[in-house]
């Protein structure tokens, strides 16, 4: 008996920020992208941390605590993580006819 070979294609995931906001709103534990910045406008130092937390405030607190380069940020930006941020891919499999 012959088994048909499957062709697998990996495509980059595409998710808008609005889609991510709707998805994470229903979850108890959420994934956040926290960007910490400090320094003058011309030579700004920036660091991005990916954090799992229950609230945005706890995510910011964890990102500050685990920062490697930006120890005293002057500007903090926090948002829900999208599929692209998490490195997700869309898997498409097609069976070849025998």
């Amino acid at each position: 008996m012959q088994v048909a070979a499957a062709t697998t294609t990996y495509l980059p995931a595409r998710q808008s920020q609005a889609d991510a906001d709707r998805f994470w709103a229903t979850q108890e534990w959420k994934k956040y992208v926290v960007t910490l910045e400090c320094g003058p406008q011309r030579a700004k130092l920036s660091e991005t941390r990916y954090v799992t937390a229950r609230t945005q405030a706890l995510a910011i607190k964890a990102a500050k605590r685990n920062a490697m380069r930006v120890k005293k940020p002057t500007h903090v930006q926090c948002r829900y993580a999208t599929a692209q941020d998490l490195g997700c891919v869309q898997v498409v499999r097609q069976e070849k006819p025998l």
Side-chain angles (χ1 to χ4, degrees):
M1 179 175 157
Q2 289 184 340
V3 177
T7 303
T8 305
T9 306
Y10 299 96
L11 302 171
R14 290 185 177 86
Q15 183 182 37
S16 68
Q17 190 62 51
D19 291 337
D21 294 346
R22 278 192 299 277
F23 173 78
W24 290 114
T26 62
Q27 306 297 315
E28 181 180 2
W29 289 91
K30 301 157 177 57
K31 302 281 186 185
Y32 292 94
V33 177
V34 182
T35 305
L36 308 168
E37 296 177 341
C38 71
Q41 189 68 23
R42 292 180 67 191
K44 191 175 287 190
L45 186 60
S46 179
E47 180 174 354
T48 302
R49 306 298 296 179
Y50 299 94
V51 180
T52 301
R54 289 186 175 177
T55 65
Q56 187 175 18
L58 291 174
I60 292 170
K61 190 182 228 182
K64 286 180 178 179
R65 186 175 56 244
N66 293 312
M68 301 294 279
R69 297 186 314 157
V70 181
K71 295 296 183 182
K72 294 183 181 181
T74 56
H75 185 288
V76 178
Q77 182 182 9
C78 184
R79 63 178 175 82
Y80 287 127
T82 63
Q84 296 92 311
D85 295 323
L86 300 175
C88 297
V89 294
Q90 179 182 4
V91 178
V92 179
R93 291 194 176 145
Q94 294 180 347
E95 295 288 330
K96 290 184 180 178
L98 291 174

